[in-house]
Amino acid sequence: MIQSDTPLKAARDSRVAFVTCAELPDLDPDDRPAYDALVRRGVAVDMVSWDADVDWAGYGLAVLRSPWDYVARRDEFVAWAATVPGLANPADVVAWNTDKRYLRELAAGGAPVVATTWLEPADTWSPPSTGEYVVKPAVSAGSRDTGRYLLGDAEHRRLAAAHAARLGAAGRLTMVQPYLSAVDTVGEAALVFLNGPDGLTFSHSIRKGAMLTGPDLGGDELYKEEKISARTATAAELAVAARVLDLVPGGPDRLLYARVDLIPDADGSPLLVELELTEPSLFFPYADGAAERFADAVVGRLG
């Protein structure tokens, strides 16, 4: 007698994993509204560390939410992602997006990306004597290992060079970017997109206040606290975001979610700072209906 696997499939298709990490194993407050919206739809949601010993095939969808300790173990994380059926976002996107070299590809495709100097681990960098700059690694999350330097100050120049050297000595590709001073006044805009019946669609936007207050001295905090408020996206920001998303390998409609982070340049035009496709906060508490839209997107993928 052949037994149907329909009950097993039904059970799997009503289970979702919110992928976390061992250091932050519980539900992140940012995700609480989405969790509640899914439970109201009859979906069971488990918080599961990405490196836990679980049967990922037992979930209809594994949604990357807060696996923020992957930075020091990126190769392992990318290899793990490739083994997980129903991963959102897809494993090849994770591999592409967890190394900020993707910004070079987006810039080559015509996206307005903040100017970046790339330092290979063996490179020696002599900071300029003027200007304000950010130094950070190409593989990072939560603004870890990221510093802000006023290079007209001799001590800041020393610290900036030491920061780049420290990253290089660890074998990490380093990024040097001009500090965009508009973040201190208008802030950084984060535009959130969620998948729906018409593909990846704009959902909501928030403002993040300036997070970098000075040099990085090699601390080990998992992420920096953010100051968040709701806002309305501008037409110029939406146009840049659409341009960026169109350049995602494989197209944007494969994505369950996306976040496009923008800061104005000196002329007020939006510049791409980061395209967050792996583990971004999606700021559900700051926009009416956002959690419901996300839950609908998840249920659509389960179907």
Side-chain angles (χ1 to χ4, degrees):
M1 178 178 177
I2 299 175
Q3 293 185 327
S4 170
D5 66 352
T6 299
L8 293 175
K9 181 178 184 300
R12 183 174 64 246
D13 287 353
S14 65
R15 293 183 71 207
V16 167
F18 274 9
V19 181
T20 64
C21 64
E23 194 165 340
L24 297 169
D26 298 323
L27 183 68
D28 187 81
D30 184 71
D31 289 325
R32 168 59 67 178
Y35 173 92
D36 292 342
L38 283 166
V39 170
R40 287 194 294 271
R41 286 160 173 75
V43 177
V45 184
D46 295 335
M47 275 57 71
V48 189
S49 178
W50 67 270
D51 54 359
D53 183 15
V54 299
D55 178 15
W56 293 100
Y59 292 98
L61 198 65
V63 184
L64 292 164
R65 295 310 311 125
S66 52
W68 295 328
D69 68 352
Y70 78 84
V71 171
R73 303 160 61 192
R74 177 179 174 269
D75 290 347
E76 182 183 349
F77 181 70
V78 168
W80 163 83
T83 71
V84 180
L87 186 68
N89 284 322
D92 65 297
V93 171
V94 169
W96 180 75
N97 188 240
T98 50
D99 186 323
K100 292 183 179 62
R101 275 178 273 214
Y102 72 79
L103 291 170
R104 293 198 289 208
E105 295 182 35
L106 295 177
V113 175
V114 60
T116 304
T117 298
W118 302 88
L119 303 174
E120 297 293 338
D123 290 344
T124 299
W125 178 57
S126 296
S129 59
T130 60
E132 192 168 10
Y133 286 82
V134 172
V135 176
K136 62 184 178 182
V139 177
S140 67
S143 297
R144 293 181 71 185
D145 302 314
T146 300
R148 170 183 173 183
Y149 301 92
L150 284 164
L151 297 183
D153 180 280
E155 179 62 9
H156 272 230
R157 285 198 303 277
R158 184 189 70 78
L159 290 171
H163 184 178
R166 184 168 66 248
L167 294 175
R172 304 174 76 178
L173 179 68
T174 300
M175 305 166 65
V176 179
Q177 299 174 325
Y179 184 77
L180 301 175
S181 60
V183 73
D184 294 325
T185 53
V186 300
E188 178 177 334
L191 278 63
V192 176
F193 293 77
L194 302 173
N195 216 311
D198 299 320
L200 195 68
T201 305
F202 175 70
S203 171
H204 58 284
S205 179
I206 61 91
R207 175 192 184 274
K208 292 192 289 181
M211 296 171 61
L212 301 180
T213 57
D216 175 75
L217 301 177
D220 59 357
E221 59 190 342
L222 196 59
Y223 61 91
K224 288 183 169 64
E225 294 292 337
E226 298 175 322
K227 296 179 180 178
I228 308 300
S229 58
R231 65 182 297 278
T232 300
T234 68
E237 290 167 348
L238 289 167
V240 168
R243 190 173 173 186
V244 168
L245 290 168
D246 280 343
L247 294 170
V248 173
D253 289 341
R254 294 195 303 147
L255 306 175
L256 178 67
Y257 54 79
R259 199 183 86 196
V260 182
D261 293 347
L262 306 167
I263 298 176
D265 64 12
D267 297 325
S269 300
L271 286 178
L272 178 68
V273 179
E274 290 190 11
L275 172 60
E276 296 273 13
L277 305 180
T278 302
E279 32 61 38
S281 296
L282 296 174
F283 308 114
F284 297 119
Y286 295 90
D288 291 342
E292 304 297 327
R293 291 189 289 274
F294 179 80
D296 287 342
V298 169
V299 170
R301 287 294 175 93
L302 287 172

